């Protein structure tokens, strides 16, 4: 999730995207805005094939972390795991840079995923395949050794939350929640079987289902982080897990059945679920505080007010949960 003020600058007249796309082969006139969250994403075509340009402001990401993300994706692809591929630019680079008056942007282009997106009406069989797909990723993660830079880890998330909350001393409940979770997470065991590089956003908008072969093709690894595999499960199931952590919910049950067909879950793993849910919510809350900072933009586009209202509503709802 980026600062809304950065989002306004990055989307202005699509100037940044138009500048960056010149580094890749493309069909003129096909560049269109797709979405913006932690990154800006535009769709385009090259020889009538669809691709996606993703770029981020240097305040939001670093070239080293993007390189580590792409290395993990290439490793997964080399082991026949279905995810999208980064595309070389005309300059023979996977990451291109453009300098603007407000700072630096880093860009990557990806192939498009095969399959269709699913919604909350996902079937039991699809849920089982979803869980199987995440467990298969974790199975590969267990033996992954990066050649270059490592991705961030869960402690970096706690440090980020702390840094964001330091600017808001009145958020006493959130600060107290951070202290509780920090102490609790530090007591969790770490081993090759329960911990590694996770996707951390394995939700339905980032996976595409191929019905014929029951396979999910995965996008959006830019949140990948070293943490417990159980955190990836909880994050994936966010839309289906209520605060009571009801594991008998139909979609949750079938997801876990698919997951456990590849990697068994211990009682210890399952008992950690509520703490990972609390971490996820606290992280989202702190990112919303960060995103809304300085969002009073002169000559703001019409969409900004709607986004600010939505973000403030979610922030307030999360605050009530601490």
């Amino acid at each position: 999730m980026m600062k809304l003020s950065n989002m306004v600058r990055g989307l202005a007249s699509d100037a940044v995207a138009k500048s960056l796309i010149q580094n890749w082969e493309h069909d003129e006139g096909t560049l269109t805005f797709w979405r913006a969250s932690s990154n800006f994403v535009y769709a385009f075509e090259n020889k009538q094939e669809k691709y996606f340009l993703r770029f981020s402001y240097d305040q939001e990401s670093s070239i080293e972390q993007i390189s580590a993300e792409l290395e993990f994706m290439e490793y997964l692809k080399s082991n026949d795991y279905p995810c999208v591929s980064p595309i070389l630019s005309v300059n023979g680079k996977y990451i291109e840079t453009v300098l603007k008056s407000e700072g630096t942007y880093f860009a990557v282009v990806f192939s498009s995923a095969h399959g269709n997106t699913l919604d909350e009406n996902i079937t039991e069989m699809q849920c089982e395949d979803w869980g199987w797909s995440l467990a298969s990723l974790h199975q590969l993660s267990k033996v992954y050794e990066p050649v270059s830079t490592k991705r961030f880890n869960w402690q970096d998330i706690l440090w980020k939350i702390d840094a964001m909350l330091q600017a808001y001393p009145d958020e006493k409940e959130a600060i107290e929640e951070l202290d509780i979770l920090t102490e609790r997470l530090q007591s969790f065991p770490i081993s090759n079987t329960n911990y590694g590089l996770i996707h951390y956003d394995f939700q339905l908008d980032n996976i595409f289902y191929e019905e014929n072969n029951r396979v999910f093709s995965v996008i959006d690894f830019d949140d990948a982080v070293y943490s417990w595999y159980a955190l990836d499960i909880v994050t994936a199931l966010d839309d289906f897990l209520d605060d009571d952590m009801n594991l008998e919910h139909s979609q949750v049950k079938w997801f876990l059945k698919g997951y456990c067909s590849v990697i068994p879950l211990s009682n210890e793993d399952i008992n950690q679920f509520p703490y990972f849910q609390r971490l996820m919510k606290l992280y989202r809350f702190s990112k919303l505080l960060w995103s809304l900072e300085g969002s009073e933009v002169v000559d703001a586009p019409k969409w900004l007010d709607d986004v600010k209202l939505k973000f403030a509503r979610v922030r307030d709802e999360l605050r009530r949960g601490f």
Side-chain angles (χ1 to χ4, degrees):
M1 192 179 298
M2 71 180 78
K3 280 201 170 188
L4 288 177
S5 55
N6 289 341
M7 192 179 290
V8 171
R9 282 195 290 269
L11 293 175
S13 309
D14 298 326
V16 180
K18 288 174 181 174
S19 175
L20 284 164
I21 196 61
Q22 303 309 316
N23 293 296
W24 280 270
E25 291 181 1
H26 63 285
D27 299 337
E28 287 295 333
T30 61
L31 185 70
T32 54
F33 173 71
W34 192 52
R35 73 184 186 190
S37 52
S38 54
N39 298 288
F40 304 94
V41 183
Y42 283 72
F44 71 94
E45 291 182 7
N46 180 36
K47 300 180 178 65
Q48 298 184 321
E49 288 282 327
K50 193 172 185 179
Y51 294 89
F52 290 90
L53 168 72
R54 191 194 79 192
F55 61 94
S56 52
Y57 191 39
D58 62 359
Q59 276 189 357
E60 320 282 350
S61 61
S62 73
I63 209 160
E64 292 80 14
Q65 285 295 297
I66 297 170
S67 296
E69 170 200 353
L70 300 186
E71 187 184 331
F72 184 50
M73 294 175 72
E74 286 296 289
Y75 162 77
L76 293 174
K77 288 287 289 186
S78 70
N79 284 277
D80 300 320
Y81 187 82
C83 65
V84 295
S85 299
I87 305 297
L88 282 170
S89 71
V90 294
N91 307 310
K93 299 177 182 177
Y94 283 115
I95 306 171
E96 289 285 355
T97 302
V98 66
L99 300 173
K100 293 291 183 183
S101 57
E102 67 270 22
T104 304
Y105 292 92
F106 303 122
V108 183
V109 163
F110 295 102
S111 60
S112 57
H114 300 294
N116 300 303
T117 53
L118 303 175
D119 58 23
E120 65 274 3
N121 298 314
I122 183 170
T123 68
E124 290 176 348
M125 184 184 78
Q126 289 165 344
C127 278
E128 191 173 352
D129 295 341
W130 181 19
W132 184 93
S133 180
L134 183 59
S136 300
L137 189 156
H138 292 167
Q139 197 80 297
L140 288 169
S141 173
K142 287 178 181 182
V143 290
Y144 174 60
E145 288 293 338
V147 175
S148 55
T149 313
K150 268 192 153 187
R151 290 287 296 180
F152 291 133
N153 64 34
W154 62 277
Q155 289 172 309
D156 295 302
I157 290 178
L158 294 177
W159 291 332
K160 282 183 187 179
I161 296 170
D162 183 49
M164 293 172 191
L165 291 180
Q166 280 183 19
Y168 298 90
D170 290 341
E171 299 286 357
K172 292 182 172 56
E173 291 83 359
I175 294 167
E176 185 178 339
E177 177 76 342
L178 175 61
D179 290 340
I180 293 167
L181 288 174
T182 300
E183 184 178 351
R184 191 68 187 169
L185 293 181
Q186 285 171 345
S187 74
F188 287 174
I190 291 174
S191 71
N192 289 338
T193 58
N194 72 354
Y195 181 96
L197 188 53
I198 66 172
H199 184 279
Y200 198 41
D201 199 4
F202 208 81
Q203 296 184 347
L204 294 177
D205 56 347
N206 286 328
I207 55 177
F208 295 76
Y209 192 61
E210 295 179 75
E211 194 82 42
N212 292 342
N213 52 15
R214 295 179 59 181
V215 164
F216 281 100
S217 185
V218 185
I219 67 169
D220 220 0
F221 284 77
D222 68 308
D223 285 319
V225 62
Y226 281 92
S227 188
W228 292 269
Y229 295 124
L231 174 60
D232 227 4
I233 295 170
V234 171
T235 310
L237 290 170
D238 181 40
D239 291 333
F240 301 103
L241 282 173
D242 55 29
D243 288 340
D244 295 329
M245 199 57 64
N246 178 18
L247 302 185
E248 292 304 310
H249 185 291
S250 176
Q251 275 103 337
V252 173
K253 194 161 64 172
W254 283 93
F255 177 101
L256 293 177
K257 181 183 178 188
Y259 188 94
C260 291
S261 70
V262 180
I263 301 175
L265 283 171
S266 68
N267 287 333
E268 184 176 54
D269 296 325
I270 292 167
N271 290 339
Q272 291 169 353
F273 281 6
Y275 295 99
F276 291 134
Q277 185 183 52
R278 286 165 63 179
L279 173 65
M280 184 187 63
K281 289 183 175 182
L282 182 61
Y283 192 26
R284 185 180 298 156
F285 175 75
S286 66
K287 286 195 287 188
L288 286 165
L289 291 178
W290 154 263
S291 185
L292 286 162
E293 275 180 6
S295 57
E296 302 302 322
V297 180
V298 179
D299 298 325
K302 290 180 180 177
W303 56 261
L304 182 62
D305 281 341
D306 290 338
V307 175
K308 282 166 62 177
L309 277 172
K310 178 186 172 186
F311 280 17
R313 189 163 58 244
V314 177
R315 175 203 61 197
D316 295 345
E317 187 181 320
L318 288 168
R319 183 188 283 125
R320 286 192 289 273
F322 300 138

